[in-house]
């Protein structure tokens, strides 16, 4: 293993529920109807992808660019108050970075990734948003780009993920996948079985990587 690439939402920040709350509110405010499967369907989607989903599948009466701008603006306001950091996550990334180069491969917009890094000051060698590549998760694009920026072959990377689509994305990139299952949105058990290792919480990751 030559590098470790972290997902952001649900792995380092407890933001999956905030994304869900904000999107639900915006859809309701603009004439759409939330569906039971909508939350899981959007996990891993890039900004253009979930924006189209809110409009085309859930019926929000805005254009995709309009709804993307509104949702991201509200998310940025939440982050500006205080990013919902997962306990111990920042320390784990620092510990891992002492041994291997680290990167972030996230479905969050660039502005939210930057906000997280500004607050934490983490020594990240690369940070990629799925809105900067061809497709969101479960496609492997964001992980492949992160590995490329680190100068490491994808198959020599470990990925840290929490949701079904995130796990599928890292698996499709041929990485060793370390799963930290999201307690609010548990991943598909069949996909979880394909992980190299499963840890209960992010603070267990260093042990799984052989650091402690």
């Amino acid at each position: 293993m030559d590098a470790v690439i972290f997902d952001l939402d649900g792995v380092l920040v407890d933001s999956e529920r905030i994304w869900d709350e904000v999107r639900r509110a915006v859809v309701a405010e603009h004439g759409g109807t939330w569906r039971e499967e909508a939350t899981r369907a959007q996990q891993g989607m890039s900004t253009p992808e979930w924006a189209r989903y809110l409009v085309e599948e859930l019926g929000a009466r805005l254009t995709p660019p309009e709804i993307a701008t509104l949702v991201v603006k509200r998310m940025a306001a939440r982050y500006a108050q205080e990013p919902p950091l997962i306990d111990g996550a920042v320390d784990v990334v620092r510990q891992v970075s002492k041994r291997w180069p680290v990167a972030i491969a996230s479905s969050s917009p660039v502005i939210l990734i930057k906000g997280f890094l500004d607050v934490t000051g983490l020594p990240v060698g690369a940070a990629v948003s799925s809105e900067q590549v061809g497709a969101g998760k479960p496609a492997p694009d964001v992980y492949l780009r992160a590995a490329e920026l680190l100068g490491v072959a994808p198959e020599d990377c470990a990925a840290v993920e929490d949701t079904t689509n995130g796990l599928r994305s890292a698996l499709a990139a041929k990485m060793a996948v370390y799963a930290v299952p999201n307690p609010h949105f548990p991943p598909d058990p069949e996909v979880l079985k394909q992980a190299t290792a499963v840890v209960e919480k992010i603070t267990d990751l260093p042990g799984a990587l052989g650091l402690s």
Side-chain angles (χ1 to χ4, degrees), residues 50-72:
W50 60 250
R52 287 194 300 271
Y53 184 92
L54 297 182
V55 173
E56 297 171 5
E57 299 297 328
L58 303 186
R61 292 194 289 270
L62 291 170
T63 65
E66 287 172 340
I67 204 165
T69 298
L70 182 54
V71 169
V72 172

Side-chain angles (χ1 to χ4, degrees), residues 97-155:
S97 71
K98 292 176 181 177
R99 174 75 178 273
W100 299 285
V102 298
I104 288 176
S106 173
S107 299
S108 275
V110 172
I111 187 173
L112 297 187
I113 299 173
K114 183 179 184 300
F116 167 80
L117 292 175
D118 286 347
V119 167
T120 61
L122 285 173
V124 171
V128 185
S129 166
S130 58
E131 68 183 17
Q132 297 173 300
V133 296
K137 302 170 184 179
D141 303 42
V142 69
Y143 275 106
L144 295 175
R145 179 58 176 157
E148 180 183 8
L149 290 173
L150 289 178
V152 178
E155 59 270 23

Side-chain angles (χ1 to χ4, degrees), residues 35-103:
R35 297 205 296 260
E36 183 180 351
E37 69 274 15
T39 297
R40 290 186 184 279
Q42 291 174 84
Q43 287 173 344
M45 285 186 180
S46 67
T47 301
E49 290 168 338
W50 60 250
R52 287 194 300 271
Y53 184 92
L54 297 182
V55 173
E56 297 171 5
E57 299 297 328
L58 303 186
R61 292 194 289 270
L62 291 170
T63 65
E66 287 172 340
I67 204 165
T69 298
L70 182 54
V71 169
V72 172
K73 181 179 179 180
R74 291 192 186 180
M75 288 296 297
R78 295 278 196 105
Y79 271 53
Q81 295 168 5
E82 185 178 357
L85 302 175
I86 290 175
D87 288 345
V90 171
D91 289 338
V92 166
V93 177
R94 290 192 190 283
Q95 184 178 354
V96 171
S97 71
K98 292 176 181 177
R99 174 75 178 273
W100 299 285
V102 298

Side-chain angles (χ1 to χ4, degrees), residues 22-34 58 60-61 67:
V22 170
R23 287 173 178 151
R24 283 175 184 264
V26 170
V27 167
E29 290 165 15
H30 293 276
T33 302
W34 198 264
L58 303 186
R61 292 194 289 270
I67 204 165

